[in-house]
Amino acid sequence: MNVDYNAEPLVQVKDLCKYFQVGRHATLKAVDGVTFNIWKGETVGLVGESGCGKSTCGRCLIRLYEPTSGQVLYDGKDITKLNKEEQKEFTRRVQMIFQNPYASLNPRMTVKEIVGEGLKLQGMPNNEIEAKVQELLETVGLNKDHMSRFPHEFSGGQRQRIGIARALSVDPEFIICDEPISALDVSIQAQVLNMLNRLQDELGLTYLFIAHDLSVVKYLSERVVVMYLGTIVETATSEELYANPMHPYTKALLSSIPEADPRRAKASQRIPIKGEIPSPINPKACCRFANRCEFATERCFNEIPQAREMSPGHIVACHLMEQ
Ligand code: SF4
């Protein structure tokens, strides 16, 4: 889909913070000063290890969490300042597909009830809901025989399709896909990714695609945002990021992607990331990657690196970029 980067972004995330108080003197800084845009019709991949704050960030964008500070603008409006009518419209326009298709569907509801719930809330008459649910199920590769069944009667891939049909039921324009394939068998993952791609083309959707693995977002995303411990370390177009990664963390993440071609696998060197991701509770004012970075200097342990635009749209937060 063609993306108009001269237009105002559909989603603007500005210095977003989401903190959780976890004790009298302990603050978990899940998202800490995150800034990025999403333009209409594009897919932005939000990538990082588990615990880096990417899902919390996604939940702030759909108002499942209220930000501690900062702003999320949707279509130019601050989503925390919508009136009742605007909030209702926002709830329709922005949907989420969850990571776990086993937990995200009510086991006591039939597929018709699950997919038709949003239609009912939108005021669609009962006699029209059945036909619409059938149409939605066909859109995601299921059929009308599935309508009267319960979630436990389906495989993981089929359940994720039901979750996608539910998200599509209210005719959204922006969908946050929170690791939608990570709980699925590898054999099913490509099918779901291809379907999301097709739906984007057919319905003109915009996606934020959250993943822990750069290889998953490579073929889907126009741009990629790499997060580490609540902060963004690098943002670039997919093409630029994969050809010319600059942040040591992005380089290490990329080097961990298995290479199918044995000659290239031999040539490419794996950069191990030592240690575990540290705790996001009361983090020090320094580079959050410092204790795992092979290039860390004293400065990295004492000063937060500022984001710098190294080339148009390629933004990196690392002291090394000053050299
Ligand atoms: Fe490594 Fe320092 Fe750059 Fe952080 S700022 S990524 S520690 S070189």
Side-chain angles (χ1 to χ4, degrees), residues 247-248 287 289-290 293 295-296 300 305 318-320:
H247 194 281
C287 172
F289 190 52
C293 178
F295 304 105
C300 304
C318 169
H319 292 311
L320 289 177

Side-chain angles (χ1 to χ4, degrees), residues 233 247-249 286-297 299-301 303-305 317-321:
V233 296
H247 194 281
Y249 178 61
C286 65
C287 172
R288 302 237 169 127
F289 190 52
N291 69 329
R292 301 174 80 188
C293 178
E294 59 176 319
F295 304 105
T297 62
R299 184 183 176 195
C300 304
F301 289 92
E303 196 183 316
I304 297 171
C318 169
H319 292 311
L320 289 177
M321 299 304 121

Side-chain angles (χ1 to χ4, degrees), residues 110-112 137 143-150 153-154:
T110 63
V111 170
K112 183 182 156 189
L137 291 179
N143 60 57
K144 70 170 194 258
D145 297 338
H146 293 123
M147 279 203 283
S148 54
R149 299 195 199 162
F150 290 88
E153 298 177 66
F154 294 90

Side-chain angles (χ1 to χ4, degrees), residues 4-23:
D4 179 5
Y5 287 106
N6 293 317
E8 185 183 44
L10 182 64
V11 183
Q12 298 174 63
V13 182
K14 298 183 177 182
D15 205 13
L16 179 73
C17 297
K18 179 63 191 172
Y19 301 162
F20 298 93
Q21 213 57 43
V22 289

